[in-house]
């Protein structure tokens, strides 16, 4: 199946008893066994039927299987949130005494879990400008087990050459995890470029409607099995059946939505670049973007996320954000409606300022998630906001 057929049909569950066309919601905590022997076989692994929703459920398995298929990899896991996907993947692939290398510009919540959780278990962590390949090579230690990157980075949209980083990572015997939330498998498939594991906040583009939180981990069988049991199963980060059902429903329109996100974002980025009140625009689709050629090489389109700075810095940005009507001032991203926020005081507020600035997250940076509204209305709203700057 091709991509847009796969997001609708792959792994779907047709209820045989009642003939339901759409996968039903299996909103149950536990599952009934025919007899003691079947129950014993399921817990022993001799029967792959369902036992208890924390251990597996038709709805969570459906979205996990479909995402793995879209990523062109072996297996997937559905988790309760995007951060559950990140933390469970990291904990499942490292132990006390190991070393982690992370790219220096990543989501603030991920910085939080590395600095406050991962390192508390005796795991070393270093943040590195991964695109500086010599610096990246020098960062490896004999105990380096995992390299973690986001591309495009949140919120600067800096890109990382996945294929190149995968080669260096594997030369050093480590595992590469890629946060692919910003692009989804529709625009970028990390495993086809050499990555071992991908993580997603499906709260964003995968669901696309801003009404659920969830996460997904996909990757090679050997790594997904390590992450699932004992970590996901025993730590209890499994997502709920109803949330998984909502994500599955949203996923079916991913291709259509992403095409509109991309076309709107390109037009908005060009508008911002031409605006005299804007100092700089970061969008991979612009020819002025420093890594535009890399974007064309490893991405199928340029995504719906834009970052920019106003010439008046934070004060000008604050006036813009406070005077928008259609574009909502809110964190998160990837929904059908446009959202705007200030990373330094919101999504990345927990990141120490020195580290934040090293990653390019300045006090004046604004992040815009361009929705699928009519383009003319988005630009008119921004124009009215600029009138107050």
């Amino acid at each position: 199946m091709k991509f847009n057929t796969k997001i609708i049909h792959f792994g779907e569950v047709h209820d045989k008893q009642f003939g339901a066309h759409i996968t039903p919601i299996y909103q149950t905590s536990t599952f009934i066994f025919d007899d003691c022997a079947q129950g014993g076989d399921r817990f022993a692994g001799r029967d792959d039927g369902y036992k208890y929703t924390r251990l597996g459920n038709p709805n969570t398995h459906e979205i996990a299987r479909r995402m793995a298929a879209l990523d062109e990899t072996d297996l997937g896991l559905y988790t309760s949130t995007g951060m559950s996907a990140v933390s469970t993947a990291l904990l499942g692939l490292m132990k006390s005494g190991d070393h982690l290398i992370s790219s220096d510009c990543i989501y603030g919540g991920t910085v939080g879990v590395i600095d406050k959780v991962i390192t508390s278990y005796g795991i070393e962590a270093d943040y590195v400008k991964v695109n500086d390949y010599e610096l990246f090579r020098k960062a490896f230690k004999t105990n380096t087990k995992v390299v973690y990157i986001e591309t495009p980075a949140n919120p600067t949209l800096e890109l990382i050459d996945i294929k190149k980083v995968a080669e260096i990572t594997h030369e050093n015997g480590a595992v590469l995890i890629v946060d692919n939330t910003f692009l989804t498998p529709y625009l970028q498939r990390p495993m086809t470029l050499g990555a071992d594991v991908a993580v997603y906040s499906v709260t964003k583009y995968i669901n696309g409607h801003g009404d659920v939180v969830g996460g997904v981990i996909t990757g090679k069988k050997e790594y997904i099995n390590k992450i699932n049991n004992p970590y996901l199963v025993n730590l209890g980060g499994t997502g709920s059946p109803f949330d998984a059902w909502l994500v599955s429903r949203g996923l079916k329109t991913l291709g259509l939505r992403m095409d509109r996100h991309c076309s709107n974002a390109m037009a908005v980025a060009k508008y911002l670049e031409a605006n005299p009140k804007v100092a700089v625009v970061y969008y991979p689709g612009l020819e002025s973007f420093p890594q535009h050629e890399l974007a064309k090489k490893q991405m199928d389109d340029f995504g719906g996320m834009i970052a920019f700075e106003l010439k008046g810095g934070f004060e000008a940005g604050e006036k813009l954000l406070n005077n928008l009507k259609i574009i909502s001032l809110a964190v998160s991203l990837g929904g059908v409606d446009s959202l705007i926020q200030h990373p330094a005081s919101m999504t990345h507020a927990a990141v120490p300022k020195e580290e934040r600035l090293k990653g390019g997250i300045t006090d004046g940076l604004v992040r815009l998630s361009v929705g699928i509204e009519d383009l003319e209305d988005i630009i008119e709203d921004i124009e009215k906001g600029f009138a107050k700057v």
Side-chain angles (χ1 to χ4, degrees):
M1 289 185 281
K2 295 187 182 299
F3 193 94
N4 282 300
T5 306
K6 199 180 291 185
I7 60 175
I8 295 172
H9 294 291
F10 189 91
E12 63 185 342
V13 179
H14 292 304
D15 186 273
K16 293 181 180 179
Q17 182 176 0
F18 298 107
H21 171 227
I22 300 298
T23 302
I25 303 172
Y26 292 88
Q27 194 68 33
T28 180
S29 58
T30 195
F31 296 85
I32 296 171
F33 309 130
D34 292 337
D35 50 42
C36 287
Q38 185 185 62
D41 285 343
R42 289 188 180 179
F43 274 92
R46 294 185 294 268
D47 181 326
D48 62 2
Y50 295 102
K51 307 177 285 292
Y52 186 70
T53 283
R54 176 170 57 83
L55 309 176
N57 178 284
N59 295 114
T60 59
H61 278 173
E62 179 187 35
I63 189 68
R65 287 194 300 267
R66 191 170 297 164
M67 284 294 292
L70 296 175
D71 262 336
E72 300 181 34
T73 192
D74 299 336
L75 296 173
L77 300 170
Y78 182 80
T79 66
S80 56
T81 66
M83 283 311 305
S84 177
V86 171
S87 59
T88 308
L90 290 173
L91 288 169
L93 296 175
M94 292 186 293
K95 64 181 185 303
S96 180
D98 288 344
H99 176 238
L100 165 71
I101 297 174
S102 172
S103 50
D104 63 347
C105 183
I106 55 175
Y107 171 54
T110 305
V111 173
V113 80
I114 292 172
D115 290 352
K116 298 176 182 179
V117 179
I118 298 297
T119 56
S120 72
Y121 288 99
I123 297 170
E124 299 178 82
D126 288 312
Y127 297 97
V128 176
K129 182 66 70 177
V130 174
N131 275 335
D132 183 334
Y133 299 117
E134 288 308 308
L135 188 65
F136 178 43
R137 288 180 188 276
K138 291 177 182 177
F140 282 88
K141 302 180 180 181
T142 55
N143 59 336
T144 301
K145 292 297 188 292
V146 170
V147 173
Y148 183 94
I149 64 173
E150 287 179 5
T151 180
N154 183 359
T156 64
L157 301 177
E158 180 182 27
L159 305 185
I160 293 173
D161 189 327
I162 297 174
K163 188 173 183 181
K164 182 70 173 177
V165 170
E167 290 171 357
I168 298 172
T169 299
H170 295 152
E171 285 171 8
N172 287 275
V175 176
L176 177 61
I177 301 176
V178 178
D179 185 331
N180 197 37
T181 297
F182 270 25
L183 292 183
T184 80
Y186 187 66
L187 301 181
Q188 179 173 267
R189 289 158 297 282
M191 264 66 74
T192 66
L193 297 170
D196 301 297
V197 173
V199 293
Y200 296 89
S201 170
V202 298
T203 309
K204 315 303 193 295
Y205 289 107
I206 301 297
N207 176 55
H209 292 78
D211 53 9
V212 69
V213 293
V216 161
I217 309 167
T218 64
K220 297 177 181 178
K221 183 177 181 179
E222 60 182 300
Y223 303 123
I224 296 300
N225 285 340
K226 286 181 181 178
I227 294 165
N228 185 38
N229 195 351
Y231 289 92
L232 181 60
V233 166
N234 289 326
L235 293 178
T238 309
S240 78
F242 181 57
D243 286 354
W245 185 85
L246 285 173
V247 172
S248 179
R249 183 177 66 166
L251 178 60
K252 293 179 181 182
T253 60
L254 176 65
L256 295 172
R257 290 185 284 106
M258 291 307 296
D259 286 343
R260 181 62 170 255
H261 284 299
C262 291
S263 62
N264 275 358
M266 176 65 86
V268 171
K270 289 180 177 178
Y271 163 79
L272 291 170
E273 190 172 48
N275 193 301
K277 295 182 180 181
V278 176
V280 60
V281 179
Y282 303 104
Y283 181 68
L286 294 175
E287 291 186 7
S288 60
F289 189 74
Q291 298 165 301
H292 180 62
E293 292 305 314
L294 175 59
K296 292 195 294 184
K297 184 175 74 171
Q298 74 180 20
M299 296 156 55
D300 293 335
D301 207 331
F302 304 114
M305 300 300 301
I306 299 172
F308 62 97
E309 294 196 40
L310 277 71
K311 290 181 179 177
F314 173 69
E315 292 76 14
E318 187 175 33
K319 287 182 180 178
L320 172 65
L321 270 58
N322 286 340
N323 285 283
L324 298 171
K325 303 300 181 186
I326 292 176
I327 302 172
S328 298
L329 177 56
V331 297
S332 199
L333 58 102
V336 292
D337 54 326
S338 297
L339 301 175
I340 198 165
Q341 64 105 359
H342 177 241
S345 66
M346 298 177 188
T347 53
H348 291 71
V351 180
K353 185 170 183 177
E354 183 180 348
E355 295 298 321
R356 180 164 53 76
L357 292 175
K358 281 182 183 178
I361 307 169
T362 65
D363 289 343
L365 191 72
V366 173
R367 192 188 75 183
L368 172 61
S369 174
V370 182
I372 65 171
E373 301 98 338
D374 287 313
L375 175 62
E376 296 81 2
D377 291 328
I378 297 173
I379 291 180
E380 181 181 357
D381 196 40
I382 297 173
E383 284 182 339
K384 289 180 178 178
F386 272 127
K388 303 293 185 179
V389 175

Short mmCIF file of all heavy atoms in Angstrom, two decimals, residues 43 50-57 61 228 233-234 238:
data_model
loop_
_atom_site.label_atom_id
_atom_site.label_comp_id
_atom_site.label_asym_id
_atom_site.label_seq_id
_atom_site.Cartn_x
_atom_site.Cartn_y
_atom_site.Cartn_z
N PHE A 43 -0.36 -15.41 29.51
CA PHE A 43 0.65 -14.82 30.39
C PHE A 43 2.02 -15.45 30.19
O PHE A 43 3.04 -14.83 30.47
CB PHE A 43 0.21 -14.91 31.85
CG PHE A 43 -0.67 -13.77 32.26
CD1 PHE A 43 -2.05 -13.86 32.18
CD2 PHE A 43 -0.11 -12.59 32.72
CE1 PHE A 43 -2.87 -12.79 32.54
CE2 PHE A 43 -0.92 -11.51 33.08
CZ PHE A 43 -2.30 -11.60 32.99
N TYR A 50 -5.13 -10.83 24.10
CA TYR A 50 -5.06 -9.74 25.08
C TYR A 50 -5.37 -10.22 26.49
O TYR A 50 -6.17 -11.12 26.70
CB TYR A 50 -6.01 -8.62 24.67
CG TYR A 50 -5.60 -7.97 23.36
CD1 TYR A 50 -6.27 -8.28 22.18
CD2 TYR A 50 -4.53 -7.09 23.32
CE1 TYR A 50 -5.88 -7.70 20.97
CE2 TYR A 50 -4.13 -6.52 22.12
CZ TYR A 50 -4.81 -6.83 20.95
OH TYR A 50 -4.41 -6.27 19.77
N LYS A 51 -4.71 -9.56 27.47
CA LYS A 51 -4.84 -9.95 28.87
C LYS A 51 -5.35 -8.80 29.73
O LYS A 51 -6.24 -8.96 30.55
CB LYS A 51 -3.47 -10.41 29.40
CG LYS A 51 -2.80 -11.48 28.57
CD LYS A 51 -1.43 -11.85 29.08
CE LYS A 51 -0.37 -10.80 28.76
NZ LYS A 51 -0.07 -10.71 27.32
N TYR A 52 -4.72 -7.62 29.56
CA TYR A 52 -4.96 -6.47 30.43
C TYR A 52 -4.47 -5.25 29.65
O TYR A 52 -3.41 -5.30 29.02
CB TYR A 52 -4.18 -6.65 31.74
CG TYR A 52 -4.42 -5.62 32.80
CD1 TYR A 52 -5.63 -5.56 33.47
CD2 TYR A 52 -3.43 -4.71 33.14
CE1 TYR A 52 -5.85 -4.61 34.47
CE2 TYR A 52 -3.62 -3.76 34.13
CZ TYR A 52 -4.85 -3.72 34.79
OH TYR A 52 -5.06 -2.79 35.77
N THR A 53 -5.21 -4.16 29.67
CA THR A 53 -4.92 -3.06 28.75
C THR A 53 -3.56 -2.42 28.96
O THR A 53 -2.95 -1.95 28.00
CB THR A 53 -6.07 -2.02 28.81
OG1 THR A 53 -7.18 -2.53 28.06
CG2 THR A 53 -5.65 -0.69 28.20
N ARG A 54 -3.04 -2.42 30.18
CA ARG A 54 -1.68 -1.90 30.37
C ARG A 54 -0.68 -2.72 29.58
O ARG A 54 0.36 -2.23 29.15
CB ARG A 54 -1.31 -1.89 31.86
CG ARG A 54 0.14 -1.45 32.11
CD ARG A 54 0.41 -1.21 33.58
NE ARG A 54 0.14 -2.38 34.41
CZ ARG A 54 1.00 -3.40 34.59
NH1 ARG A 54 2.17 -3.40 33.98
NH2 ARG A 54 0.67 -4.40 35.38
N LEU A 55 -0.98 -4.00 29.36
CA LEU A 55 -0.08 -4.91 28.65
C LEU A 55 -0.37 -4.96 27.16
O LEU A 55 0.40 -5.55 26.40
CB LEU A 55 -0.19 -6.32 29.24
CG LEU A 55 -0.06 -6.42 30.77
CD1 LEU A 55 -0.28 -7.86 31.22
CD2 LEU A 55 1.31 -5.92 31.21
N GLY A 56 -1.46 -4.35 26.74
CA GLY A 56 -1.82 -4.36 25.32
C GLY A 56 -3.31 -4.28 25.11
O GLY A 56 -4.09 -4.82 25.91
N ASN A 57 -3.72 -3.61 24.05
CA ASN A 57 -5.14 -3.38 23.76
C ASN A 57 -5.27 -3.23 22.24
O ASN A 57 -4.36 -2.69 21.59
CB ASN A 57 -5.58 -2.10 24.48
CG ASN A 57 -7.02 -1.72 24.22
OD1 ASN A 57 -7.35 -1.22 23.15
ND2 ASN A 57 -7.88 -1.95 25.20
N HIS A 61 -2.58 -1.07 19.98
CA HIS A 61 -1.79 -1.85 19.03
C HIS A 61 -2.05 -1.40 17.59
O HIS A 61 -1.13 -1.42 16.75
CB HIS A 61 -2.12 -3.34 19.17
CG HIS A 61 -1.37 -4.00 20.30
ND1 HIS A 61 -1.61 -5.29 20.71
CD2 HIS A 61 -0.38 -3.54 21.11
CE1 HIS A 61 -0.81 -5.59 21.72
NE2 HIS A 61 -0.06 -4.54 21.98
N ASN A 228 9.83 -2.03 25.51
CA ASN A 228 8.48 -2.44 25.91
C ASN A 228 8.49 -3.20 27.23
O ASN A 228 7.73 -2.88 28.15
CB ASN A 228 7.86 -3.29 24.80
CG ASN A 228 6.41 -3.65 25.11
OD1 ASN A 228 5.67 -2.85 25.65
ND2 ASN A 228 6.02 -4.86 24.75
N VAL A 233 5.86 -1.58 29.97
CA VAL A 233 4.88 -2.41 30.66
C VAL A 233 4.89 -2.16 32.17
O VAL A 233 3.85 -1.98 32.80
CB VAL A 233 5.17 -3.90 30.36
CG1 VAL A 233 4.40 -4.80 31.33
CG2 VAL A 233 4.78 -4.24 28.93
N ASN A 234 6.07 -2.12 32.77
CA ASN A 234 6.15 -2.01 34.23
C ASN A 234 6.05 -0.58 34.74
O ASN A 234 5.56 -0.35 35.85
CB ASN A 234 7.45 -2.65 34.73
CG ASN A 234 7.43 -4.16 34.61
OD1 ASN A 234 6.39 -4.77 34.78
ND2 ASN A 234 8.55 -4.77 34.29
N THR A 238 1.56 3.14 29.24
CA THR A 238 0.66 2.78 28.14
C THR A 238 -0.47 3.80 28.01
O THR A 238 -1.03 4.25 29.01
CB THR A 238 0.05 1.39 28.39
OG1 THR A 238 1.09 0.47 28.69
CG2 THR A 238 -0.74 0.92 27.19
#
